[in-house]
Amino acid sequence: MPKQSNPVRNFFAWLGLLITVGVLGLLLWLIALGALAGLVYLGLSLCTDWNFVAKLATSILASFIILKVLGLVSDVFDLLPEWWFDPRKKPTPCPHCGKNLRTALAQQCRHCGADWHSEP
Ligand SMILES: [Zn+2]
């Protein structure tokens, strides 16, 4: 009997993969938050005479805000074309619509959506 693809089974396989990736991403983020909070806590211990709870709360809150701001800044910079920052890099036009690509090495156009990743 030939093996048929079961849509319900495929759905749960994808759901499992999605949850695993989400949990791993959250774990990595928590590790980064913990490392940053540790550094802030160390700095507060050296510079202030606050009690344990105040230092702990401040370091966790500060590292949470720092990670959020860093994420926001990197998202914003990812949207800006690289030739805005480096005038030596000339804008490369999209071979499909002619509008400027974000980077010279881009293989996908953010204006028309053309994608030439698989082309040689
Ligand atoms: Zn295009």
Side-chain angles (χ1 to χ4, degrees):
M1 187 174 136
K3 193 176 178 183
Q4 290 181 327
S5 76
N6 183 343
V8 176
R9 194 174 159 181
N10 283 348
F11 171 76
F12 280 107
W14 273 108
L15 196 67
L17 189 71
L18 211 66
I19 290 171
T20 307
V21 169
V23 167
L24 283 178
L26 190 67
L27 267 177
L28 276 177
W29 191 81
L30 281 176
I31 290 170
L33 184 77
L36 198 59
L39 284 176
V40 174
Y41 186 88
L42 193 71
L44 286 175
S45 299
L46 293 173
C47 301
T48 65
D49 56 350
W50 298 354
N51 64 27
F52 172 75
V53 177
K55 283 190 286 193
L56 188 72
T58 306
S59 60
I60 290 174
L61 189 68
S63 50
F64 182 79
I65 292 170
I66 290 170
L67 281 185
K68 283 289 170 195
V69 169
L70 282 179
L72 199 69
V73 167
S74 85
D75 282 353
V76 166
F77 272 90
D78 203 36
L79 290 175
L80 301 175
E82 68 180 4
W83 51 269
W84 282 13
F85 306 105
D86 191 350
R88 289 169 301 173
K89 289 179 180 164
K90 295 205 167 165
T92 311
C94 167
H96 296 269
C97 71
K99 290 184 178 169
N100 290 332
L101 298 173
R102 200 178 64 78
T103 70
L105 299 174
Q107 295 188 314
Q108 189 168 1
C109 176
R110 64 194 173 122
H111 300 287
C112 68
D115 185 336
W116 52 100
H117 278 97
S118 55
E119 290 176 16

